[in-house]
Amino acid sequence: MKQGDTSMPDGGRQRRILVVEDDDDLRETLSIVLEDYGYSVVTASSIDVALAEVDRQAFGFILSDLLASGKGDLLQSVDQLRERAFPTPVGIVTGWRLSESDVVHRGFAWLMDKPFDVDRLVTEIAARLETPLTGGEQRQAEVVHAYFAALSARDWDALAALCTEDVVYVLPSPAPFAGEVRGKQAFRRYTEDTYQHFPGARFDEVRAYALPAGLVARYVGRWPSAEGGLHQQAGAVVFRFEGERIKQIGIRLNAQQLRALLAASEERAPDVEGA
């Protein structure tokens, strides 16, 4: 969807997002990515255009840069947009360095610094919208919970059974073990090999959110550390389905944090073995 496009099925407001960004390339990229996830996107290159769109149609979420000169109160540039769009949540994405607590206190949904991970952005939008799951999505959410339960139980057969034969698994670089795996059996082997590096890993606090195309699940993973404690990392997984079978799996996590946790484990490993 481009500026001025109002085509949308009745009741689709939750899937309509307004992107306010004066950088032409970034605005177009965000529009393409969000549409790929099934959202309907309206774009605005200025606050004035954004205000006109808010007066004309309803949105489920607004994503805005700070179109400010750098002088004075940076948030003032989008205050009017937030007030005019109320109660629609407005998330701030900017290169200006601000305090997230100040941004939230001012009434905005959240702050995300540039450069940012687009998939994390989509996850945050889905969590904010919290669209109620349909009956089919609820059954898919049960599959998502079974996915994490199979990982925790190291039940690779059960994990593979949740997927289509041509399932695609994507863990983007620079994360450890990054790559793209295609096919159920290749995915099974890859997962079994990878989880040898995470003995005793378990996943809990799993919560699934609806995307216009698929589900996104946030989770907390924990596995024993060499010191006797627990390593812990939160992340998100984007799932796409064919019926009630997983068709595509996209992993989103803090790669730098995971590398540090793995390095710490490997450094301690000789001491543990020799103890």
Side-chain angles (χ1 to χ4, degrees), residues 9-167:
D10 185 40
R13 175 186 61 82
Q14 286 292 87
R15 297 187 175 190
R16 187 188 292 120
I17 296 175
L18 175 61
V19 173
V20 188
E21 171 61 58
D22 60 354
D23 183 284
D24 294 341
D25 291 338
L26 180 55
R27 187 173 64 251
E28 183 66 19
T29 297
L30 285 169
S31 178
I32 292 171
V33 169
L34 291 171
E35 287 176 347
D36 184 55
Y37 277 94
Y39 290 106
S40 176
V41 181
V42 176
T43 61
S45 58
S46 70
I47 294 297
D48 288 341
V49 173
L51 291 171
E53 292 294 347
V54 167
D55 286 342
R56 200 161 59 90
Q57 56 185 317
F59 296 93
F61 195 86
I62 297 174
L63 183 66
S64 182
D65 193 355
L66 292 180
L67 308 185
S69 64
K71 299 178 181 179
D73 182 359
L74 295 174
L75 289 173
Q76 188 175 1
S77 65
V78 285
D79 265 338
Q80 188 179 5
L81 177 62
R82 174 184 55 78
E83 293 169 359
R84 186 83 63 87
F86 181 83
T88 302
V90 180
I92 300 298
V93 177
T94 182
W96 297 104
R97 291 300 171 250
L98 298 172
S99 163
E100 183 167 12
S101 61
D102 290 344
V103 170
V104 173
H105 180 73
R106 189 77 157 257
F108 294 94
W110 40 251
L111 169 70
M112 191 171 294
D113 294 327
K114 292 181 180 179
F116 56 88
D117 181 88
V118 172
D119 294 306
R120 175 177 169 240
L121 180 69
V122 172
T123 301
E124 294 291 346
I125 291 173
R128 286 289 172 178
L129 291 178
E130 291 202 65
T131 306
L133 301 182
T134 65
E137 288 169 341
Q138 288 175 349
R139 291 189 291 274
Q140 291 174 346
E142 292 173 2
V143 174
V144 168
H145 284 276
Y147 171 92
F148 286 102
L151 287 177
S152 296
R154 299 294 197 277
D155 190 341
W156 311 125
D157 290 334
L159 183 72
L162 298 172
C163 303
T164 63
E165 291 295 332
D166 58 349
V167 65

Side-chain angles (χ1 to χ4, degrees), residues 187-230:
F187 169 58
R188 185 193 186 285
R189 290 192 299 270
Y190 167 88
T191 306
E192 185 173 3
D193 291 344
T194 299
Y195 276 80
Q196 293 179 10
H197 298 272
F198 303 93
R202 298 189 62 82
F203 298 87
D204 52 26
E205 300 182 37
V206 177
R207 186 168 184 183
Y209 302 95
L211 292 170
L215 298 176
V216 58
R218 291 200 61 83
Y219 67 89
V220 175
R222 298 180 175 90
W223 65 97
S225 69
E227 296 81 5
L230 284 175

Side-chain angles (χ1 to χ4, degrees), residues 244-257:
E244 294 178 21
R245 289 287 179 266
I246 300 171
K247 176 83 170 177
Q248 185 172 327
I249 304 163
I251 309 298
R252 318 298 174 202
L253 47 72
N254 185 327
Q256 184 176 2
Q257 180 190 27

